[in-house]
Structures are given as structure tokens and as C-alpha cells.
Amino acid sequence: MQRSWRFYLQLAFTLLVCAFLIVPVLLSMLAGITENVFVGLSSGFTTRWVLQVWDAYQATIWRSIFIALACLLVTAVLGVPLAYALARHKGGNSRLARVIEELLMMPVAVPGLATALALIMAYGQYRAFRGSLLFILVGHVLFTLPFMVRPVLAVMQSSQLAVLEEAAAGLGAGLMQRFFTVVIPNVLSGIVAGALMVVTLSIGEFNITWMLHTPLTMTLPVGLADAYASMRLEVGSAYTLIFFFMIIPLLIAMQWVAHSSRTRVRL
């Protein structure tokens, strides 16, 4: 079938938007392997900027991965039961459930700097806690918890979860048994979708982390800002290159897990 001119117009617009978003990122990554970014590609290619970043900032990379995975664990342990409680409370339509949902969204609506300042004012006097990674983890959990609750709650409300639970209860299954053998398998796609958002948001989160970090708890985005501010432009670009090579395989792997879980649910 012959495609109309509208198809090619939409395709051209889509490619233009993609180029607008991707080209600056590619140029930044290319600068990280260029000998002198101001001279251009004619100056030659090198890996010394990447090696310099790895030697100076590799601890921030492992620290960000650890915080992101810990944030995923905490949000899953807190978010899935919370979504389950909201779904059971008259399908999430009661006044109390709506109030709780709105309170959950407050850390997303409030600027990250304000959230971080509130944490510092509340817990800054505890020096050991203030100087630990746990302090940053608390800020990340506050910010990312809604992104775990919302997808799981949406799946629970759109599935026949109440019918399945009623059938399991009729067979003698208790609350905990129903939760782990009926609820969790049926909302796995929502959990994976929430996990994808939680991990990516935690790794790339800057505003809260910038306020809460110390020189010993610097994470990847804060290190990236430090590299751009205090070193050569090529060093900051090399940091960007390492960031993308770290995050892209993680995103692909989590997308694959999400696709596999949705396929199993359909089957």
C-alpha cells in the first residue's frame, strides 16, 4: 500500500526531534575522546580523558549503583504493600486513599533542593547519619517511592485481583499467602516498570544529592558536575561517556525483563 505524504511528514518530524535530542549528547560523548575539543576532530582521538575520569571518580560510579539498587529494594519493600493497601481500600477511591496518594506525590512536586533542606533541618544534627550514604538513600527513597507505587497500583486496579484473591481465600489461603502467591505474580509487570523508573531516577538524581552529599559520599551526577566545573571540558565529556555506557546496558536489561514479565502475564 502506497504511503501518503502525511506519513513521510510525520516521519521527518520524528527524526528531526530525535536528532535535536540525540545530537548534543553524541557531540558531548565525542568530546570525551577528542584530544582537544576546541581544535576539533583534527586534533586526534585519545582515551586519556576517560582513564583520568576513571582514576579520579570511579568511586562515585560504584556508589551511585549501590544507592540505586538499595533504593530499588527499599521502594519495592515499602511501595508494593502500600499500593496493595490503597487498592484494597475500595479500589483506591476512598477519601483516605486519595489523601495518601496526594501525600506520596508531594516529594515529586516539591523542588528537590527544598526536600533536601528539610532533611538537613530534621536530621542534620546526627553527624554519623548526616555523613553516611544512608542519608542520601533516604532522600532518593522519598523522591522515587511514588514512581514505584503508581505503576503497581495501576496494574492492581486494572486486573481481576479481587476475584483472584476471593478464590484463593475460598481455598483457605491467608492474607500473607495471597499476597505472595496471587498478588505479586499478577502485578509483576507493574513492579518491573516501577523498578525501571526508580533505578534510572536514582542514578541520575542531582538536586537532592547535591545538597545531601559530603566529599566522601559524592555520587555520579555530582561528580559529573564537579568535573565540568573544575576540570577541562574533555574530562567532563569523558565522564558523560562513562555515564552513558553504564546506564544504557542497565536500561536495556530492565526493558528486557519488563518485556519478559509482560509476556509471561499474557500467557
Side-chain angles (χ1 to χ4, degrees):
M1 184 177 63
Q2 187 177 5
R3 293 188 174 96
S4 66
W5 62 271
R6 291 182 180 178
F7 169 79
Y8 293 104
L9 183 61
Q10 292 171 352
L11 178 62
F13 178 75
T14 302
L15 293 176
L16 182 63
V17 172
C18 290
F20 180 78
L21 296 174
I22 295 175
V23 168
V25 176
L26 294 179
L27 291 176
S28 178
M29 295 170 64
L30 187 62
I33 55 175
T34 303
E35 185 68 35
N36 191 320
V37 68
F38 298 103
V39 175
L41 299 180
S42 59
S43 63
F45 296 99
T46 181
T47 59
R48 69 186 178 116
W49 308 121
V50 177
L51 296 176
Q52 183 176 340
V53 169
W54 184 255
D55 290 338
Y57 293 101
Q58 63 172 305
T60 67
I61 298 173
W62 301 120
R63 200 173 290 130
S64 290
I65 294 176
F66 171 77
I67 291 176
L69 295 179
C71 185
L72 172 60
L73 178 63
V74 175
T75 53
V77 171
L78 296 178
V80 177
L82 181 56
Y84 179 59
L86 291 174
R88 284 174 58 91
H89 214 291
K90 296 183 181 179
N93 294 322
S94 70
R95 181 176 300 179
L96 178 61
R98 290 197 300 270
V99 170
I100 294 176
E101 285 192 63
E102 294 302 324
L103 290 176
L104 280 174
M105 293 303 298
M106 283 187 62
V108 179
V110 174
L113 295 178
T115 301
L117 182 60
L119 288 173
I120 292 174
M121 293 177 62
Y123 306 111
Q125 67 271 23
Y126 304 105
R127 294 185 178 274
F129 180 51
R130 173 68 179 87
S132 67
L133 287 178
L134 186 60
F135 196 48
I136 298 177
L137 177 61
V138 171
H140 283 214
V141 169
L142 285 175
F143 177 68
T144 59
L145 184 60
F147 296 95
M148 175 61 75
V149 174
R150 282 301 180 92
V152 175
L153 181 60
V155 174
M156 287 180 177
Q157 291 177 334
S158 62
S159 63
Q160 300 293 329
L161 197 59
V163 177
L164 296 174
E165 278 199 276
E166 185 178 350
L171 295 174
L175 177 62
M176 296 302 294
Q177 188 177 3
R178 296 198 305 271
F179 179 76
F180 286 105
T181 61
V182 177
V183 175
I184 295 296
N186 281 277
V187 300
L188 187 59
S189 60
I191 295 175
V192 174
L196 177 64
M197 289 188 286
V198 166
V199 171
T200 52
L201 288 172
S202 178
I203 288 180
E205 208 292 318
F206 173 76
N207 292 329
I208 294 176
T209 312
W210 183 76
M211 284 285 288
L212 299 183
H213 89 283
T214 67
L216 298 178
T217 58
M218 184 182 297
T219 62
L220 193 151
V222 178
L224 177 60
D226 180 73
Y228 270 111
S230 60
M231 296 187 179
R232 291 184 54 146
L233 183 61
E234 294 89 349
V235 176
S237 298
Y239 207 130
T240 304
L241 183 65
I242 292 177
F243 174 80
F244 275 95
F245 272 105
M246 183 191 77
I247 195 66
I248 289 175
L250 178 62
L251 292 178
I252 293 174
M254 296 192 72
Q255 289 282 7
W256 178 81
V257 171
H259 176 73
S260 300
S261 65
R262 285 194 297 265
T263 302
R264 286 195 298 268
V265 169
R266 285 197 298 268
L267 293 177

